[in-house]
Amino acid sequence: MSRETTPTEWHSVPEERVFEALDSDESGLSTDEASERLSEFGPNRIREDEAVSPYELFLAQFQDFLIYLLILAALLSIAVGLLPGATPRYEEAGLILLILFANGVFGFFQDYRAEMSIQALRELSTPNSTVLRDGEKVTIDAEDVVPGDVVIIEQGDAIPADARLVEVTALETNESALTGESTTVAKGTDPVPSETPLAERDDMVFMNTTAIKGRGRAVVVETGMNTQVGDIATEIQEAETRETPFQKEVDALGKRIGIGIVGLILVIAVAQFVFTAAGWLSILLTGITLAVAAVPEGLPAVVTLTLAMGSRKILNRDALVRRLPVVESLGSVDVIVSDKTGTLTENQMTVKRVYTAGTNGTVTGTGLSTAGEFRHDGDDADRERLVPLLTCGAYCNDAERAPDSADDPYYGDPTEIALLVSAAKAGIDPEHERLREIPFSSERKRMTVIARESPSTLSDTDGFDAATPTAYMKGAPEVVLDRCTRVLEDDGVRELTAAKREEILDRNRAFGSDALRVLGFAVRPVEDPEDDPERVERDMIFVGLQGMIDPPRAEVSEAIEDCRNAGIRVVMATGDNVQTAGAIAQTIGFGSEEAMDGTTVDTLSDEALREVVENVDVFARVSPHHKVRILKALQENGHNVAMTGDGVNDAPALRNADVGIAMGTRGTDVAQQASDMVLQDDNFVTIRDAIAEGRAIFDNIRKFVNLLLSANAGEVLTVFLGVLVGSFFFPGLFASESDALILTPVMLLWINVVTDGLPALALGTDPKASNVLERPPRGGDESVIDRRMIVSILTIGLTMTVVGLGLFFYGLQAVRDITTAQTLLFTFIVTIEMIVIQVIRSRFDQPLLSNRWLIAAVAVSFGLQLVVLYTSLHTLFDVRSISVGGWELIALGSVVFLLVTGLVERAVD
Ligand code: ATP
């Protein structure tokens, strides 16, 4: 490919020269050429910072003050051993280091998996782009866009690369990513002088900006790092490393607990020093090991991992999580404000009824097939009469027939496709010469196209003639009627009287009550197509209504019912009219048909709206600004709101919602970029599923935190109380220096590995409890560790300590051998921690065998314990094999533990 101009000059060359210089033309590149260019220029992306290297991630596991201390102490124990008269404790030191290493490996896997999942999610959120390839519109990954591609830009699209405009219709873009200015920039195709500064070049569009209004076509001149945004890439690299609220909470909590534990350990050390014969080195080593084992510094990593794994599960349910914290927020959602069209309904429109020139008609046929006919009040319809209405629907239309595609014969908005199909049923050709378009927006609720041609049946009547262009308007019937002063009747154009207007609105309501989506149509001759839009869209001639069905999605009623059982209210906020919204609401199981209009919302004060949002479930004819007000009112009432949106103007609502949900297929890039989550299938059912997963993930985090803190509390309390009780009641037992410990450092570290390692990872994969959607949502400000969990941690920790020490001292007295007593306590704690997993899980309604991974993890952990006890490893660990009598004691202790914790759990619930 030859490139004759430098990047900064692209904008100022005339259109033909742009194509020429880029070796492309109006019909875009061929697929082969595009793939060649892709390998030449590379993918169209802004290089991201290098991903974290696994090596660094692994090293990071050991970069912790406590670990340094422990390594130091282990080395010290060898060094001291080298002094005359002492034996170096090589095995102990070696084992400590080995177990630390194993711990590090677990930590690494957790972090690495979390990192990979987050990375994968990030890659999934790259936008698509529509370009011409081989002369046809295709949607491709924005990263595959190459110089020379012709990009089709629609309202709401993210611009994929720097491109020179060759065609625009009222195009305005937001270039705040480049300029910091949030006002929109109007675009044109006329070349501007080359000295014009970037921010004022209006014949170019730039990567990372968005089309807020209108449409256009542009030929790509630069991609990837060669774009303007590539130049400033380092400045805009978003730091996506913000912590989620949970992560923050758990982090802070970990620190607090850590400080507490270190304090306690100091007390233990002093007590050991004063009351036992233990040497200072043993005391130091035990203290530091206890700190390493019990300070929950791994918690934040596990929370991240659980969130990341959870977001993958949510993705399997067709919802893409764009921001990790939303996984947490999902669990506390108590109101969902949902769009109707496409989310609750199929967005598969078919025109069923028409109204024109005072008469009603029906249309046969289904789906996108053009087989079907019109009947007027029972008879075959007079085609002539329908021409203005159907022509208006076909011309004022951005949908297109897709060439040669039998599966997907049309391209565009389903409402508009339905109008093309209805026109085709009457044999009306949508071809026209378009002079201008005044685009649709959810605010305007109408769209106008000015075409050279007038409706064939109207030529030569009332100002329509071959020389005068015609404006065709479609939109919400009442909005269109407001722009009309005349109406087309059988005998020509008449004045639109108040009575006639009422008759039309009546029809509109009747169509709506049958759950039809209704559009109104109007036309007029225009002298000056470039006139001010206000002057074009007035004094119009009303030509009729078309009513289309849009069936509710399968399963939606069930999903709404599920939400209700889960304490989640579903509110519909639709741009459609009151009757249609109400009728659909009723068919899908909303309690009432009562719907409030957007204009009524406008009359309410914020105070009054706060009351209304508690009672009204259906809002109709809402604009994006209504959605923001409804959202605010709900949030002020203390609700956690999930809100859906698809349009450009929905971005503020999506950004402010607790969970902003954009549509994957229907939604604009702008909406997606403002959202927390994207529904890939646009389906309401997916919201329910994502909420259920969100709740399950929160459960899993709680289970894990509960497990870890109970275990740690148990370990610390055991050593602490063991030393105290031992010193006071069994002073003789601590007489020898080397035996004077409740649990050796190696045992403590081992306990940590078998409990925090595999079972912790496996807990993150616990399935949803069968009743996740039967309980009320979690309060938004409820923290991970609530009162219930504190009770559980204390109960488990204390019971474990009391029973464990009971076994220890009983064993000590019975066999007079501290190693046997230590082994008994050590194995008891490992056993109990396996049991605790289920004690905690059953509080979350998880049956014993519901998670295979967990069963395997527990089996492996317990198996490893047996290996330590019964193989030659036992000398290394300095433990004894446990006899049958010993196991009986452990079993007895476990039963007592289960009874006590079971009773307390029951008493608390
Ligand atoms: P929801 O908000 O549930 O997605 P919706 O599609 O009806 O519903 P909007 O897109 O805001 O919401 O549309 C508002 C109204 O504007 C519609 O009810 C319809 O009357 C009219 N309308 C929709 N699409 C078009 C269009 N392409 N051209 C003209 N008018 C339209």
Side-chain angles (χ1 to χ4, degrees), residues 339-341 413 416 440 442 445 447 474-476 517-519 574-576 621:
D339 282 342
K340 172 182 71 69
T341 313
D413 173 28
E416 298 194 329
F440 168 78
S442 295
K445 294 189 171 52
M447 157 180 175
K474 74 173 190 303
R517 177 180 173 81
V518 200
L519 258 69
T574 174
D576 227 328
R621 282 286 184 248

PDB file of all heavy atoms in Angstrom, residues 339-341 413 416 440 442 445 447 474-476 517-519 574-576 621, ligand 1:
ATOM      1  N   ASP A 339     -35.706  -1.714  31.094  1.00  0.00           N
ATOM      2  CA  ASP A 339     -36.351  -1.332  29.834  1.00  0.00           C
ATOM      3  C   ASP A 339     -37.350  -2.409  29.479  1.00  0.00           C
ATOM      4  O   ASP A 339     -37.275  -3.513  29.996  1.00  0.00           O
ATOM      5  CB  ASP A 339     -35.328  -1.376  28.693  1.00  0.00           C
ATOM      6  CG  ASP A 339     -34.421  -0.185  28.682  1.00  0.00           C
ATOM      7  OD1 ASP A 339     -34.768   0.805  29.311  1.00  0.00           O
ATOM      8  OD2 ASP A 339     -33.366  -0.275  28.025  1.00  0.00           O
ATOM      9  N   LYS A 340     -38.199  -2.093  28.561  1.00  0.00           N
ATOM     10  CA  LYS A 340     -39.119  -3.124  28.091  1.00  0.00           C
ATOM     11  C   LYS A 340     -38.628  -3.765  26.797  1.00  0.00           C
ATOM     12  O   LYS A 340     -38.385  -4.970  26.735  1.00  0.00           O
ATOM     13  CB  LYS A 340     -40.518  -2.525  27.858  1.00  0.00           C
ATOM     14  CG  LYS A 340     -41.480  -3.473  27.185  1.00  0.00           C
ATOM     15  CD  LYS A 340     -42.813  -2.821  26.926  1.00  0.00           C
ATOM     16  CE  LYS A 340     -42.773  -1.768  25.841  1.00  0.00           C
ATOM     17  NZ  LYS A 340     -42.547  -2.332  24.474  1.00  0.00           N
ATOM     18  N   THR A 341     -38.458  -2.884  25.787  1.00  0.00           N
ATOM     19  CA  THR A 341     -38.230  -3.396  24.444  1.00  0.00           C
ATOM     20  C   THR A 341     -36.906  -4.138  24.352  1.00  0.00           C
ATOM     21  O   THR A 341     -35.850  -3.559  24.569  1.00  0.00           O
ATOM     22  CB  THR A 341     -38.254  -2.241  23.434  1.00  0.00           C
ATOM     23  OG1 THR A 341     -39.392  -1.442  23.725  1.00  0.00           O
ATOM     24  CG2 THR A 341     -38.311  -2.755  22.021  1.00  0.00           C
ATOM     25  N   ASP A 413     -32.696  -1.555  13.161  1.00  0.00           N
ATOM     26  CA  ASP A 413     -33.556  -1.540  14.333  1.00  0.00           C
ATOM     27  C   ASP A 413     -34.831  -2.346  14.055  1.00  0.00           C
ATOM     28  O   ASP A 413     -35.488  -2.128  13.028  1.00  0.00           O
ATOM     29  CB  ASP A 413     -33.875  -0.064  14.619  1.00  0.00           C
ATOM     30  CG  ASP A 413     -34.902   0.098  15.707  1.00  0.00           C
ATOM     31  OD1 ASP A 413     -34.973  -0.791  16.560  1.00  0.00           O
ATOM     32  OD2 ASP A 413     -35.640   1.109  15.697  1.00  0.00           O
ATOM     33  N   GLU A 416     -37.894  -0.589  12.849  1.00  0.00           N
ATOM     34  CA  GLU A 416     -37.816  -0.122  11.465  1.00  0.00           C
ATOM     35  C   GLU A 416     -37.878  -1.284  10.482  1.00  0.00           C
ATOM     36  O   GLU A 416     -38.466  -1.167   9.413  1.00  0.00           O
ATOM     37  CB  GLU A 416     -36.539   0.697  11.272  1.00  0.00           C
ATOM     38  CG  GLU A 416     -36.562   1.934  12.160  1.00  0.00           C
ATOM     39  CD  GLU A 416     -35.508   2.966  11.802  1.00  0.00           C
ATOM     40  OE1 GLU A 416     -34.436   2.545  11.324  1.00  0.00           O
ATOM     41  OE2 GLU A 416     -35.778   4.168  11.979  1.00  0.00           O
ATOM     42  N   PHE A 440     -33.564  10.161  15.006  1.00  0.00           N
ATOM     43  CA  PHE A 440     -34.375   9.784  16.169  1.00  0.00           C
ATOM     44  C   PHE A 440     -33.532   9.894  17.436  1.00  0.00           C
ATOM     45  O   PHE A 440     -32.329   9.654  17.412  1.00  0.00           O
ATOM     46  CB  PHE A 440     -34.822   8.321  16.006  1.00  0.00           C
ATOM     47  CG  PHE A 440     -35.408   7.736  17.263  1.00  0.00           C
ATOM     48  CD1 PHE A 440     -36.703   8.049  17.629  1.00  0.00           C
ATOM     49  CD2 PHE A 440     -34.649   6.913  18.090  1.00  0.00           C
ATOM     50  CE1 PHE A 440     -37.236   7.528  18.806  1.00  0.00           C
ATOM     51  CE2 PHE A 440     -35.190   6.401  19.260  1.00  0.00           C
ATOM     52  CZ  PHE A 440     -36.485   6.709  19.619  1.00  0.00           C
ATOM     53  N   SER A 442     -34.240   9.156  21.911  1.00  0.00           N
ATOM     54  CA  SER A 442     -35.263   8.791  22.904  1.00  0.00           C
ATOM     55  C   SER A 442     -35.937  10.035  23.456  1.00  0.00           C
ATOM     56  O   SER A 442     -37.065   9.970  23.931  1.00  0.00           O
ATOM     57  CB  SER A 442     -34.629   8.023  24.051  1.00  0.00           C
ATOM     58  OG  SER A 442     -34.144   6.805  23.579  1.00  0.00           O
ATOM     59  N   LYS A 445     -38.244  11.262  20.393  1.00  0.00           N
ATOM     60  CA  LYS A 445     -39.248  10.221  20.125  1.00  0.00           C
ATOM     61  C   LYS A 445     -39.829  10.339  18.731  1.00  0.00           C
ATOM     62  O   LYS A 445     -40.971   9.976  18.473  1.00  0.00           O
ATOM     63  CB  LYS A 445     -40.369  10.241  21.162  1.00  0.00           C
ATOM     64  CG  LYS A 445     -39.881   9.859  22.564  1.00  0.00           C
ATOM     65  CD  LYS A 445     -41.023   9.666  23.530  1.00  0.00           C
ATOM     66  CE  LYS A 445     -40.586   9.083  24.843  1.00  0.00           C
ATOM     67  NZ  LYS A 445     -39.490   9.748  25.513  1.00  0.00           N
ATOM     68  N   MET A 447     -38.520  10.837  14.236  1.00  0.00           N
ATOM     69  CA  MET A 447     -37.439  10.936  13.262  1.00  0.00           C
ATOM     70  C   MET A 447     -38.038  11.428  11.957  1.00  0.00           C
ATOM     71  O   MET A 447     -39.188  11.104  11.642  1.00  0.00           O
ATOM     72  CB  MET A 447     -36.830   9.547  13.101  1.00  0.00           C
ATOM     73  CG  MET A 447     -36.098   9.313  11.815  1.00  0.00           C
ATOM     74  SD  MET A 447     -35.463   7.616  11.820  1.00  0.00           S
ATOM     75  CE  MET A 447     -34.784   7.551  10.172  1.00  0.00           C
ATOM     76  N   LYS A 474     -41.819   9.771  11.440  1.00  0.00           N
ATOM     77  CA  LYS A 474     -42.475   8.724  12.224  1.00  0.00           C
ATOM     78  C   LYS A 474     -42.031   8.895  13.668  1.00  0.00           C
ATOM     79  O   LYS A 474     -40.970   9.481  13.933  1.00  0.00           O
ATOM     80  CB  LYS A 474     -42.102   7.335  11.703  1.00  0.00           C
ATOM     81  CG  LYS A 474     -40.700   6.877  12.049  1.00  0.00           C
ATOM     82  CD  LYS A 474     -40.537   5.420  11.633  1.00  0.00           C
ATOM     83  CE  LYS A 474     -39.269   4.772  12.145  1.00  0.00           C
ATOM     84  NZ  LYS A 474     -38.019   5.422  11.784  1.00  0.00           N
ATOM     85  N   GLY A 475     -42.858   8.403  14.581  1.00  0.00           N
ATOM     86  CA  GLY A 475     -42.486   8.528  15.982  1.00  0.00           C
ATOM     87  C   GLY A 475     -43.643   8.164  16.891  1.00  0.00           C
ATOM     88  O   GLY A 475     -44.662   7.607  16.426  1.00  0.00           O
ATOM     89  N   ALA A 476     -43.494   8.478  18.159  1.00  0.00           N
ATOM     90  CA  ALA A 476     -44.572   8.216  19.107  1.00  0.00           C
ATOM     91  C   ALA A 476     -45.805   8.978  18.625  1.00  0.00           C
ATOM     92  O   ALA A 476     -45.702  10.171  18.320  1.00  0.00           O
ATOM     93  CB  ALA A 476     -44.149   8.675  20.481  1.00  0.00           C
ATOM     94  N   ARG A 517     -47.098  -2.135  19.985  1.00  0.00           N
ATOM     95  CA  ARG A 517     -46.261  -0.941  19.993  1.00  0.00           C
ATOM     96  C   ARG A 517     -46.719  -0.106  18.797  1.00  0.00           C
ATOM     97  O   ARG A 517     -46.779  -0.610  17.678  1.00  0.00           O
ATOM     98  CB  ARG A 517     -44.824  -1.392  19.820  1.00  0.00           C
ATOM     99  CG  ARG A 517     -43.791  -0.319  19.722  1.00  0.00           C
ATOM    100  CD  ARG A 517     -42.472  -1.050  19.560  1.00  0.00           C
ATOM    101  NE  ARG A 517     -41.334  -0.220  19.298  1.00  0.00           N
ATOM    102  CZ  ARG A 517     -40.658   0.434  20.228  1.00  0.00           C
ATOM    103  NH1 ARG A 517     -41.042   0.379  21.497  1.00  0.00           N
ATOM    104  NH2 ARG A 517     -39.604   1.147  19.903  1.00  0.00           N
ATOM    105  N   VAL A 518     -47.052   1.147  19.044  1.00  0.00           N
ATOM    106  CA  VAL A 518     -47.681   1.936  17.989  1.00  0.00           C
ATOM    107  C   VAL A 518     -46.791   3.088  17.557  1.00  0.00           C
ATOM    108  O   VAL A 518     -46.227   3.801  18.394  1.00  0.00           O
ATOM    109  CB  VAL A 518     -49.026   2.539  18.468  1.00  0.00           C
ATOM    110  CG1 VAL A 518     -49.876   2.922  17.264  1.00  0.00           C
ATOM    111  CG2 VAL A 518     -49.765   1.594  19.381  1.00  0.00           C
ATOM    112  N   LEU A 519     -46.680   3.274  16.261  1.00  0.00           N
ATOM    113  CA  LEU A 519     -45.980   4.429  15.732  1.00  0.00           C
ATOM    114  C   LEU A 519     -46.929   5.260  14.876  1.00  0.00           C
ATOM    115  O   LEU A 519     -47.789   4.699  14.183  1.00  0.00           O
ATOM    116  CB  LEU A 519     -44.778   3.983  14.887  1.00  0.00           C
ATOM    117  CG  LEU A 519     -43.432   4.112  15.611  1.00  0.00           C
ATOM    118  CD1 LEU A 519     -43.356   3.106  16.738  1.00  0.00           C
ATOM    119  CD2 LEU A 519     -42.270   3.926  14.663  1.00  0.00           C
ATOM    120  N   THR A 574     -40.110   2.401  30.334  1.00  0.00           N
ATOM    121  CA  THR A 574     -40.016   2.224  28.888  1.00  0.00           C
ATOM    122  C   THR A 574     -40.337   3.504  28.143  1.00  0.00           C
ATOM    123  O   THR A 574     -41.081   4.354  28.641  1.00  0.00           O
ATOM    124  CB  THR A 574     -40.976   1.102  28.421  1.00  0.00           C
ATOM    125  OG1 THR A 574     -40.967   1.056  27.002  1.00  0.00           O
ATOM    126  CG2 THR A 574     -42.383   1.323  28.915  1.00  0.00           C
ATOM    127  N   GLY A 575     -39.797   3.613  26.949  1.00  0.00           N
ATOM    128  CA  GLY A 575     -40.110   4.750  26.100  1.00  0.00           C
ATOM    129  C   GLY A 575     -41.460   4.572  25.426  1.00  0.00           C
ATOM    130  O   GLY A 575     -42.017   5.495  24.854  1.00  0.00           O
ATOM    131  N   ASP A 576     -41.997   3.366  25.503  1.00  0.00           N
ATOM    132  CA  ASP A 576     -43.265   3.075  24.840  1.00  0.00           C
ATOM    133  C   ASP A 576     -44.432   3.704  25.594  1.00  0.00           C
ATOM    134  O   ASP A 576     -44.261   4.238  26.679  1.00  0.00           O
ATOM    135  CB  ASP A 576     -43.443   1.553  24.739  1.00  0.00           C
ATOM    136  CG  ASP A 576     -43.888   1.164  23.339  1.00  0.00           C
ATOM    137  OD1 ASP A 576     -44.607   1.967  22.722  1.00  0.00           O
ATOM    138  OD2 ASP A 576     -43.522   0.070  22.879  1.00  0.00           O
ATOM    139  N   ARG A 621     -43.389   6.148  28.419  1.00  0.00           N
ATOM    140  CA  ARG A 621     -42.968   7.372  27.741  1.00  0.00           C
ATOM    141  C   ARG A 621     -41.882   8.104  28.517  1.00  0.00           C
ATOM    142  O   ARG A 621     -41.912   9.321  28.647  1.00  0.00           O
ATOM    143  CB  ARG A 621     -44.155   8.311  27.534  1.00  0.00           C
ATOM    144  CG  ARG A 621     -45.038   7.918  26.392  1.00  0.00           C
ATOM    145  CD  ARG A 621     -44.418   8.206  25.037  1.00  0.00           C
ATOM    146  NE  ARG A 621     -45.341   7.893  23.949  1.00  0.00           N
ATOM    147  CZ  ARG A 621     -45.161   6.891  23.085  1.00  0.00           C
ATOM    148  NH1 ARG A 621     -44.100   6.096  23.186  1.00  0.00           N
ATOM    149  NH2 ARG A 621     -46.016   6.664  22.123  1.00  0.00           N
TER     150      ARG A 621
HETATM  151  P1  ATP B   1     -37.629   0.847  25.915  1.00  0.00           P
HETATM  152  O1  ATP B   1     -37.328   2.132  26.588  1.00  0.00           O
HETATM  153  O2  ATP B   1     -38.392  -0.090  26.744  1.00  0.00           O
HETATM  154  O3  ATP B   1     -36.447   0.233  25.219  1.00  0.00           O
HETATM  155  P2  ATP B   1     -38.621   1.999  23.471  1.00  0.00           P
HETATM  156  O4  ATP B   1     -37.786   1.372  22.432  1.00  0.00           O
HETATM  157  O5  ATP B   1     -40.051   2.222  23.126  1.00  0.00           O
HETATM  158  O6  ATP B   1     -38.692   1.195  24.790  1.00  0.00           O
HETATM  159  P3  ATP B   1     -37.304   4.482  23.018  1.00  0.00           P
HETATM  160  O7  ATP B   1     -36.263   3.905  22.152  1.00  0.00           O
HETATM  161  O8  ATP B   1     -36.984   5.574  23.955  1.00  0.00           O
HETATM  162  O9  ATP B   1     -37.974   3.384  23.872  1.00  0.00           O
HETATM  163  O10 ATP B   1     -38.454   4.962  22.031  1.00  0.00           O
HETATM  164  C1  ATP B   1     -39.472   5.834  22.478  1.00  0.00           C
HETATM  165  C2  ATP B   1     -40.575   5.891  21.468  1.00  0.00           C
HETATM  166  O11 ATP B   1     -40.113   6.496  20.271  1.00  0.00           O
HETATM  167  C3  ATP B   1     -41.102   4.541  21.033  1.00  0.00           C
HETATM  168  O12 ATP B   1     -42.108   4.084  21.873  1.00  0.00           O
HETATM  169  C4  ATP B   1     -41.632   4.827  19.646  1.00  0.00           C
HETATM  170  O13 ATP B   1     -42.934   5.383  19.719  1.00  0.00           O
HETATM  171  C5  ATP B   1     -40.691   5.873  19.141  1.00  0.00           C
HETATM  172  N1  ATP B   1     -39.630   5.273  18.342  1.00  0.00           N
HETATM  173  C6  ATP B   1     -38.864   4.223  18.620  1.00  0.00           C
HETATM  174  N2  ATP B   1     -37.981   3.963  17.661  1.00  0.00           N
HETATM  175  C7  ATP B   1     -38.191   4.880  16.715  1.00  0.00           C
HETATM  176  C8  ATP B   1     -37.592   5.185  15.454  1.00  0.00           C
HETATM  177  N3  ATP B   1     -36.583   4.466  14.974  1.00  0.00           N
HETATM  178  N4  ATP B   1     -38.082   6.208  14.768  1.00  0.00           N
HETATM  179  C9  ATP B   1     -39.088   6.949  15.234  1.00  0.00           C
HETATM  180  N5  ATP B   1     -39.686   6.732  16.405  1.00  0.00           N
HETATM  181  C10 ATP B   1     -39.264   5.713  17.134  1.00  0.00           C
END
